[in-house]
Amino acid sequence: MIPLEERKVLMRKRTKAFASAVVRFYIGLDKRREELRVLGKQVLRSGTSVAANYREGSRARSAEEFIAKIEQCTQEADESQLWLELLRDDCGIDSPALTYLWQESDELIAIFVTMAKRAKGD
């Protein structure tokens, strides 16, 4: 099993990589289309929030604070999926980057749910 501190570092890197991929995806959207600009900003905000909240959670001062931040990560990753689905289904965005972001957010959600459950002792 990987030591806790090493797992924290790996998740910090993974969530930052996710946020970076979201930024690159947003940069590539055609902002002349109003719907892409609006939905793109939404996914930019929620996707980068995943990394920010994870960083805060990894430095939590209590189990309760950790759980709250990890649950916020789950919510932000789920919200990111919504914006990605709208971009795909309603705006015709079909790209490997979108597919990657949706899959990565799905995996992150599963990880965060497990982390929260373990921290709660469920």
Side-chain angles (χ1 to χ4, degrees):
M1 182 179 236
I2 300 172
L4 178 61
E5 287 306 312
E6 190 175 337
R7 284 184 296 189
K8 282 183 182 180
V9 169
L10 291 172
M11 279 302 292
R12 283 171 65 102
K13 288 180 180 179
R14 185 170 181 173
T15 57
K16 182 178 180 263
F18 177 73
S20 294
V22 167
V23 170
R24 288 189 305 276
F25 175 74
Y26 173 75
I27 289 169
L29 291 174
D30 180 357
K31 311 307 179 304
R32 293 172 296 179
R33 290 178 56 189
E34 180 68 9
E35 71 279 16
L36 298 186
R37 189 182 62 74
V38 170
L39 295 174
K41 280 193 176 189
Q42 292 287 72
V43 76
L44 179 66
R45 187 203 54 74
S46 61
T48 55
S49 288
V50 172
N53 281 295
Y54 181 77
R55 282 196 176 213
E56 289 179 36
S58 70
R59 301 224 185 268
R61 294 173 298 245
S62 67
E64 293 79 15
E65 186 179 351
F66 173 76
I67 291 165
K69 286 299 176 182
I70 293 304
E71 288 178 340
Q72 186 65 42
C73 290
T74 305
Q75 292 171 350
E76 296 291 349
D78 185 57
E79 183 180 327
S80 296
Q81 283 188 322
L82 168 66
W83 305 126
L84 292 166
E85 289 167 11
L86 290 170
L87 285 163
R88 181 192 63 212
D89 299 344
D90 298 320
C91 300
I93 302 299
D94 182 23
S95 71
L98 187 146
T99 301
Y100 163 77
L101 289 171
W102 195 95
Q103 290 172 341
E104 181 64 2
S105 61
D106 203 45
E107 288 181 24
L108 288 170
I109 289 167
I111 292 167
F112 295 140
V113 167
T114 300
M115 290 170 78
K117 283 183 179 181
R118 286 184 180 162
K120 290 177 185 178
D122 292 353

